[in-house]
Amino acid sequence: MSDISHHQAVVPEKLVQGKPHARGWNLAVLGVLPSWLLMGFALIIPILIIVAVSFSVRGAYGGFDWGFDLAGYKQILFNEGWSGEIEFTPQYLVIILRTLLLAGVTTLLCLTLAVPVAYYIASQPPFRKALLVYLVTLPFWMSMILRVYAWMIILGRDGPLPQFLQFFGAPSGLTLMYNDGATLAAMVYTYIPLMVLPVFASIEKLDGTLIEAAHDLYGSRWTALRRVILPLTAPGIASGAILVFVPSLGAVLEPILMGGGKQMMMGSLIQLQFGGGRNWPFGSAIAVMLMIFVMIVLVLIALRARRKEVAA
Amino acid sequence: MKKRHDVKRYPGLGVLSFAFFVYLYAPLAIVILYSFNENRITGVWTKFSLKWYGSALNNAALVDALKTSLLVAVIATVVATTIALMAAMAIIRGKRMRARKLSETVVNLPLLLPEIVLAVATLILFSLIGLQNGLLKLVIAHSAFCTPFAFLPIRARLQGMSLDFEEAASDLYARRWTVFRRVTLPLIFPGLFSGAMLAFLISMDDFITSNMLSSGGTTTLPVYIFSLIRAGTSPELNAVASLLILASLILATVALTMSARGTGKDI
């Protein structure tokens, strides 16, 4: 077929449809097909399998055997003694509660730090604004493990912070590592850029005249912040909260490196069950619980956003 | 006039923001500073020395880990960027595209779940189907979680671009493939490039998945660094860390300036 006949075929169609590429249906399906295949194979199927494994039987030599058993979930709350008695053990419940608490506190701390900084950046002239946004983004692209390692140095033995505190009379040999506070310090540090950027984006879109109006109506700065700025930046705060809370719930490196062996979170517990612990059904049960927590958060925030939309 | 302007300013924010940026960069500066410490004990400064850089660069295990990381990252970047580009073209430009929203969610799925869950889920899958090749396991998993990072900048670029150029080209009888190659591709290049850079950095940086999936012979750089940290902080580790901080500084700067140019003025 010649080029000319091809084009003759295209022109009338364009006149009818008004836009080129009107026959794009096949191409559109072909375009998304590879991503569906990759995510199906590497994500969706594995997640279905992990749900199945969480109900399966623990293998004699690690791993698992197919079957139906609730042992993986039972182990979260109960421990079977050597003579078969069932006993309530709070150790894993403590890990779950610690995970929720640390992730929540991380999100709150990131938020309280991010709002003023984002507000300040948004109020700068264009060039300085771009520069500061770049400076916020940059550490995020540096290796996560190195950013956690930096805090191991700062808080560790002979580190700058213990030395600084000793200078002001703290006892020598003071250790700031291997506790929940150390884990929290590393988590806030590693996730804060994820909060600043979305909050900044929504503060930047804020209509400044509304703040002036609040002031003209005798609202104080505090009132303007509480009644105008924060409600209008709620979408940015919500997406920042998701971006910080979700990875905080699944944190692995921070509890392993900063919390030491004892101050575990759900992420490091899962890692342990698939690494040294060799109890796949239990590890899968914890992973399923972690997914459920994340889904609850996402659904709650989506519902809130929809209610706002309806109200507006 | 001046008073009107002032109501939008809150006192003390400048100082607070300055402190914030110190907080953000001081830890990295401390690692770099200690990498020049001659003393074996990281926290006790004796004198300036470059010897740890020398011993880091002569460490064969480290160089092997770097090679593995680079190989996995390059393949994963090519796969993820190609898939992301195809998906973005279909989702943004595809006419009569069904399940647009769903397809977008599927592409972004790795962002919605904690990485550790995905890591152990793929570990179980690979052990069920008996996939032994460590490199292949890493490449598949990395391609999956890098895809959204390549997708987002490409999608942003495509969305921000007017259809006029593509329409003009096809009005001039360019075929669809020619339009894509000669018009669309050059115009979305900044988004494509920064997407690929981000995918590369995300792959290079990954610890959780690589640690789950890696077997002997396929240790990636972060997994190797983790083993160094576990063995106790050493000044050689500080030198490695400093080199990596420098490398990501350069890469991220290139990626971010490209994407800034992409979202800027012209189109």
Side-chain angles (χ1 to χ4, degrees), chain A residues 154-194:
Chain A
I154 291 175
L155 301 181
R157 260 188 67 212
D158 304 316
L161 201 59
Q163 279 184 8
F164 178 78
L165 292 176
Q166 271 165 42
F167 183 77
F168 287 98
S172 76
L174 173 79
T175 176
L176 300 171
M177 286 289 288
Y178 311 126
N179 53 54
D180 287 342
T183 306
L184 192 64
M187 293 211 326
V188 172
Y189 182 72
T190 42
Y191 302 128
I192 185 107
L194 294 172

Side-chain angles (χ1 to χ4, degrees), chain B residues 1-266:
Chain B
M1 197 64 203
K2 192 168 183 305
K3 195 168 172 288
R4 284 199 140 251
H5 196 65
D6 270 348
V7 290
K8 282 188 248 164
R9 297 195 180 278
Y10 286 74
L13 283 192
V15 178
L16 194 76
S17 299
F18 180 75
F20 173 76
F21 283 103
V22 171
Y23 163 73
L24 218 48
Y25 283 91
L28 302 171
I30 285 170
V31 172
I32 295 174
L33 180 73
Y34 278 158
S35 73
F36 296 114
N37 184 6
E38 193 257 354
N39 198 324
R40 257 217 161 271
I41 302 161
T42 296
V44 182
W45 183 270
T46 40
K47 70 176 206 282
F48 180 88
S49 160
L50 285 173
K51 74 172 176 185
W52 302 112
Y53 284 89
S55 75
L57 294 173
N58 283 321
N59 182 336
L62 178 77
V63 176
D64 275 351
L66 177 65
K67 277 184 192 158
T68 307
S69 269
L70 283 173
L71 185 63
V72 171
V74 168
I75 301 174
T77 301
V78 172
V79 174
T81 311
T82 311
I83 288 176
L85 175 64
M86 291 173 75
M89 282 299 292
I91 288 168
I92 306 298
R93 288 286 189 269
K95 295 289 178 295
R96 278 188 270 159
M97 168 70 195
R98 287 170 196 194
R100 198 183 295 264
K101 196 90 195 157
L102 185 64
S103 294
E104 218 175 322
T105 309
V106 165
V107 175
N108 286 323
L109 213 52
L111 298 178
L112 296 178
L113 283 169
E115 201 193 330
I116 182 68
V117 175
L118 300 178
V120 294
T122 40
L123 173 75
I124 299 176
L125 174 79
F126 291 156
S127 86
L128 276 180
I129 62 172
L131 184 61
Q132 299 285 332
N133 188 325
L135 204 64
L136 189 60
K137 287 195 279 189
L138 287 178
V139 164
I140 293 171
H142 279 228
S143 301
F145 68 67
C146 287
T147 298
F149 291 94
F151 176 76
L152 293 173
I154 298 172
R155 190 199 62 172
R157 182 74 183 170
L158 265 178
Q159 235 167 9
M161 196 174 97
S162 133
L163 269 173
D164 295 350
F165 299 96
E166 283 148 311
E167 284 178 359
S170 59
D171 284 345
L172 293 167
Y173 298 110
R175 289 173 192 217
R176 195 181 285 157
W177 173 246
T178 315
V179 175
F180 175 73
R181 203 166 46 84
R182 302 280 297 270
V183 180
T184 317
L185 203 56
L187 284 175
I188 59 169
F189 185 75
L192 191 68
F193 183 80
S194 62
M197 283 295 232
L198 299 187
F200 180 79
L201 280 169
I202 290 290
S203 169
M204 285 296 286
D205 179 27
D206 172 74
F207 168 76
I208 296 174
T209 306
S210 305
N211 186 49
M212 252 330 45
L213 298 179
S214 77
S215 38
T218 48
T219 304
T220 65
L221 197 53
V223 176
Y224 181 71
I225 290 176
F226 181 76
S227 70
L228 281 184
I229 293 177
R230 283 265 116 149
T233 59
S234 85
E236 189 180 302
L237 178 57
N238 292 337
V240 175
S242 304
L243 291 174
L244 280 176
I245 289 172
L246 192 71
S248 27
L249 193 94
I250 294 167
L251 281 180
T253 304
V254 174
L256 292 171
T257 39
M258 280 299 275
S259 77
R261 195 182 297 167
T263 50
K265 54 232 169 221
D266 47 21

Side-chain angles (χ1 to χ4, degrees), chain A residues 33-79:
Chain A
L33 193 63
S35 54
W36 276 88
L37 288 176
L38 178 67
M39 296 306 167
F41 178 69
L43 248 109
I44 298 169
I45 292 174
I47 285 171
L48 296 178
I49 292 177
I50 209 171
V51 175
V53 170
S54 75
F55 291 107
S56 73
V57 187
R58 184 178 180 179
Y61 307 99
F64 69 100
D65 295 319
W66 290 118
F68 183 80
D69 194 357
L70 287 173
Y73 290 93
K74 265 191 209 142
Q75 199 181 336
I76 297 173
L77 290 178
F78 303 102
N79 191 21

